[in-house]
Amino acid sequence: MGNSNSSRTYQECYDRMKLATVRRSQEKHAQQFDLFLSYKNVNSSSKTSVNTQCSKDPLANEFGLEFKEIYLLPKSFQSQSRRPTQAQARPECPFLIDFDTFLKVTRGSPNFDSLVNNSSLKKGDYLLHEDEEEEMMLTLIHSNFKQEIFYFDIVEELIRTETILNSLNKSEDRHLAVLVNPISGKQRGRGYYKDILAPTLNITGIKYDHYETDSETYIEEWVNQFSDKPFPYTDIILIGGDGLFSQLINSVLNNPACKHLIKTPIGLLPAGSQNAVCCDLKGKDVFQACRNIVRRPTVQTDIMKVQFANSDTPIYATVILWGLLGDVVKNAEKLRKLFKSARYAVSAAKIFLTSWKMKTYKCNVQFKSDFEINSDFNARKHLDEEDGKNDVGLNISSSIQTESTEATEGSEIGENPWNDHPDSDFSFLGMVTHECRSSLNKKERFMPTSRFNDGSISLATLTKCGKVKLLKFLSKFSNAKHLEFDKFNGMEVSEVQISPDTKSWFNIDGEIYENDQANVKLLPSFLTMIGGIHDS
């Protein structure tokens, strides 16, 4: 059943409600269990109000509850107290269902043969119960399609359990546009759609239409068909990599007749090479991302607007790299067919091994910031433990001065003066709006302190260094310890002006552009994304 984790303990106080008395077997004399739901009341910090409200009518507050987990205790078990203290563990129990995998509860047993067509999943992965009575049983379905069946004796308890658990998923009046890039990354997009997402949407009753990209201009053409027309979908779901996401937002924002689409929540399934955007929205695992799409938690995320000096068309992005990292991605595109997701490592190794001396990239950098900037521009500040933060972080000494709950493209982030960056010789320069976690290495994060919703651009620079220093930096980078490197600096800004000495390559969300000047501006809380933000 779900997870067997009897040693797990709570690090915070919680409440629990009894949903029902159930059996795990159809036999009337089988062992009985009490089915409990643990939760917190997110609308109140008062312990008294939590107990009072929920004891009167749990269903009345179902949308004000943050559910934690479901577990069963033998009917003979006598609980010590309704609310254990922080030091107490949840009663030992081998039957635990974690909400990280729970997907839906349904009456009876679903017919998976009709839901999963041409699936690579084996029928042995399911627990099929085709001959059992449906009226007094519930089937809990997990995001990996495993099932758990409970039998009830009291119909009111069955209805209460079904109602509360199904309130987790937002399926009513939703109509999804699912766009699949079949050649992205390791070419798993089509399989993820057929074997995982489509069956999940069928199970949960969410309507959807399926589209598959067949050219580089497909996304732009798909978006343009909705010019000055009502958009028929409630969500846009992308199965691909970061490039597919970039194509969508640029196709929408660069067509004035389609900008109404940008209000639509966007969900992602990780099927690309790096999947940085999806990983930073708590969707690194395809089943977890699929569960996010069903439950539809949303977060307002920042993006950047890039304007090149010789172009009238802006580019909207979450990651901009210049210098060595721009050259690495440029050369990696030539290696895509041969090395696929390993092409970036191969490209970097090639540059490193074939160069007698590492190239220095000269550039004048100016920036505006709504944060207090240290005089030496050193952003690696070790915070005291009493501040409740870890010792790896940016130098953030003040809060954001302007907050936007409903940003538009014309939003201004303060009228602060331009500041000159003290360095002009770099190995690379990067600007990001999120951590940039890697789906290949769980420890690798380009800017561990950056978050999609923190209202800032994280400007990172590595001043010029030789091969030995660069190797030391890369060794720290693989486990997110590079913030401690003496030549690496970071700061939080709202606008950046980049002026290289000569035309050079910019890597913008994986696409390569050659130019000699760029203005990068923050658009705060601009997109509505399906997913969550990592705490650390």
Side-chain angles (χ1 to χ4, degrees):
M1 164 175 295
N3 300 321
S4 179
N5 188 4
S6 59
S7 63
R8 179 176 175 180
T9 62
Y10 277 105
Q11 300 301 317
E12 56 185 339
C13 294
Y14 67 93
D15 277 295
R16 74 183 185 199
M17 68 171 76
K18 178 183 173 181
L19 295 178
T21 298
V22 300
R23 291 172 283 108
R24 299 188 67 213
S25 169
Q26 193 177 19
E27 298 296 328
K28 291 292 184 180
H29 300 290
Q31 183 180 7
Q32 290 185 323
F33 296 86
D34 285 334
L35 183 64
F36 285 98
L37 173 73
S38 61
Y39 66 92
K40 290 192 304 182
N41 189 308
V42 297
N43 291 335
S44 173
S45 59
S46 169
K47 296 181 181 180
T48 303
S49 63
V50 172
N51 290 331
T52 301
Q53 291 175 8
C54 294
S55 61
K56 287 182 178 179
D57 186 3
L59 287 180
N61 294 301
E62 68 181 272
F63 295 109
L65 302 181
E66 178 184 326
F67 296 150
K68 284 296 185 183
E69 61 187 13
I70 309 172
Y71 57 92
L72 291 97
L73 295 176
K75 185 67 176 174
S76 59
F77 179 84
Q78 298 296 323
S79 61
Q80 297 175 346
S81 64
R82 186 171 185 270
R83 176 190 282 272
T85 64
Q86 289 186 357
Q88 290 177 314
R90 171 183 43 73
E92 183 173 332
C93 176
F95 307 129
L96 170 66
I97 300 172
D98 198 316
F99 278 120
D100 285 344
T101 62
F102 171 72
L103 185 65
K104 182 180 174 64
V105 62
T106 183
R107 297 279 184 98
S109 299
N111 181 0
F112 279 94
D113 290 335
S114 65
L115 297 177
V116 186
N117 297 318
N118 302 319
S119 173
S120 63
L121 296 173
K122 298 177 181 179
K123 185 174 273 191
D125 291 337
Y126 312 130
L127 302 176
L128 299 178
H129 302 266
E130 298 175 353
D131 300 327
E132 313 222 26
E133 296 182 7
E134 296 184 357
E135 57 270 15
M136 293 297 287
M137 60 183 281
L138 290 179
T139 301
L140 276 70
I141 306 172
H142 299 269
S143 57
N144 57 3
F145 303 125
K146 295 296 177 78
Q147 302 176 60
E148 298 295 339
I149 293 182
F150 298 118
Y151 298 88
F152 295 76
D153 293 321
I154 302 175
V155 67
E156 290 81 5
E157 291 185 347
L158 182 147
I159 294 173
R160 177 170 58 190
T161 303
E162 180 183 33
T163 302
I164 291 180
L165 296 185
N166 276 337
S167 71
L168 285 170
N169 301 329
K170 301 177 181 178
S171 59
E172 295 182 1
D173 301 322
R174 293 182 66 189
H175 191 182
L176 279 53
V178 180
L179 291 92
V180 182
N181 181 354
I183 64 171
S184 180
K186 296 182 178 180
Q187 302 181 7
R188 294 175 176 172
R190 187 179 286 130
Y192 283 169
Y193 166 73
K194 290 183 177 180
D195 298 344
I196 300 174
L197 182 61
T200 299
L201 296 179
N202 289 335
I203 290 170
T204 54
I206 299 175
K207 294 186 296 183
Y208 63 94
D209 290 329
H210 166 242
Y211 303 91
E212 194 167 287
T213 64
D214 56 14
S215 68
E216 293 182 357
T217 61
Y218 181 91
I219 294 294
E220 182 178 1
E221 294 168 357
W222 183 84
V223 167
N224 290 343
Q225 68 178 310
F226 303 108
S227 296
D228 294 322
K229 295 179 181 178
F231 191 56
Y233 300 106
T234 59
D235 311 66
I236 300 174
I237 307 301
L238 305 176
I239 306 180
D242 299 327
L244 186 64
F245 170 70
S246 178
Q247 285 182 351
L248 176 70
I249 62 174
N250 279 279
S251 297
V252 170
L253 292 173
N254 283 316
N255 183 345
C258 291
K259 288 190 177 182
H260 58 290
L261 273 66
I262 206 62
K263 298 178 181 179
T264 307
I266 302 171
L268 306 171
L269 247 66
S273 300
Q274 295 291 332
N275 307 304
V277 174
C278 199
C279 288
D280 285 345
L281 291 170
K282 293 188 175 180
K284 180 177 180 179
D285 175 80
V286 65
F287 290 109
Q288 185 181 35
C290 197
R291 185 207 64 194
N292 287 341
I293 290 170
V294 171
R295 295 191 185 177
R296 208 196 194 196
T298 59
V299 59
Q300 298 299 123
T301 62
D302 310 328
I303 61 170
M304 296 176 285
K305 179 182 178 181
V306 186
Q307 189 70 62
F308 285 124
N310 59 358
S311 174
D312 295 329
T313 303
I315 302 168
Y316 299 88
T318 62
V319 177
I320 303 167
L321 303 172
W322 174 85
L324 175 62
L325 297 182
D327 288 350
V328 166
V329 176
K330 174 181 176 293
N331 295 332
E333 288 306 299
K334 303 173 185 178
L335 308 171
R336 177 185 286 270
K337 291 185 178 180
L338 187 60
F339 294 99
K340 297 182 179 179
S341 60
R343 64 188 182 275
Y344 300 109
V346 174
S347 175
K350 182 179 179 181
I351 292 175
F352 188 85
L353 294 173
T354 58
S355 302
W356 174 255
K357 185 178 180 181
M358 297 308 297
K359 180 179 177 181
T360 298
Y361 299 85
K362 294 183 176 293
C363 177
N364 292 321
V365 179
Q366 292 182 303
F367 63 90
K368 293 181 179 181
S369 179
D370 295 319
F371 294 88
E372 181 180 326
I373 304 298
N374 219 8
S375 59
D376 62 357
F377 293 90
N378 187 342
R380 299 173 306 280
K381 182 179 181 182
H382 293 265
L383 301 174
D384 294 334
E385 292 184 4
E386 63 186 14
D387 292 334
K389 298 180 181 179
N390 58 33
D391 62 352
V392 180
L394 294 178
N395 180 18
I396 304 174
S397 303
S398 62
S399 60
I400 302 172
Q401 295 177 0
T402 58
E403 295 183 359
S404 172
T405 57
E406 200 168 317
T408 61
E409 186 184 338
S411 298
E412 296 292 337
I413 313 302
E415 294 298 333
N416 295 323
W418 286 102
N419 299 279
D420 292 320
H421 197 287
D423 298 314
S424 58
D425 295 341
F426 302 97
S427 288
F428 73 77
L429 181 151
M431 288 157 286
V432 299
T433 60
H434 57 112
E435 292 180 83
C436 299
R437 294 174 180 242
S438 172
S439 61
L440 305 177
N441 179 357
K442 65 180 181 180
K443 293 184 179 181
E444 183 179 309
R445 293 178 287 172
F446 181 70
M447 287 300 290
T449 56
S450 183
R451 296 294 183 273
F452 253 129
N453 61 347
D454 62 11
S456 68
I457 299 170
S458 291
L459 171 62
T461 59
L462 181 67
T463 53
K464 67 175 182 178
C465 56
K467 285 189 175 183
V468 175
K469 282 274 190 181
L470 188 59
L471 279 175
K472 289 182 179 179
F473 172 79
L474 294 175
S475 67
K476 292 178 178 291
F477 184 80
S478 62
N479 58 9
K481 297 292 185 181
H482 56 287
L483 296 186
E484 304 167 357
F485 193 68
D486 59 348
K487 288 183 175 292
F488 184 85
N489 289 289
M491 63 188 72
E492 299 209 335
V493 302
S494 56
E495 190 171 354
V496 186
Q497 187 78 28
I498 308 169
S499 303
D501 283 3
T502 60
K503 276 193 173 183
S504 52
W505 299 103
F506 288 81
N507 167 14
I508 302 179
D509 281 346
E511 297 295 324
I512 297 299
Y513 302 85
E514 186 180 23
N515 216 295
D516 56 4
Q517 188 174 346
N519 176 269
V520 181
K521 189 174 184 178
L522 177 71
L523 302 180
S525 303
F526 198 76
L527 301 177
T528 301
M529 301 296 297
I530 297 174
I533 300 295
H534 294 279
D535 295 329
S536 61

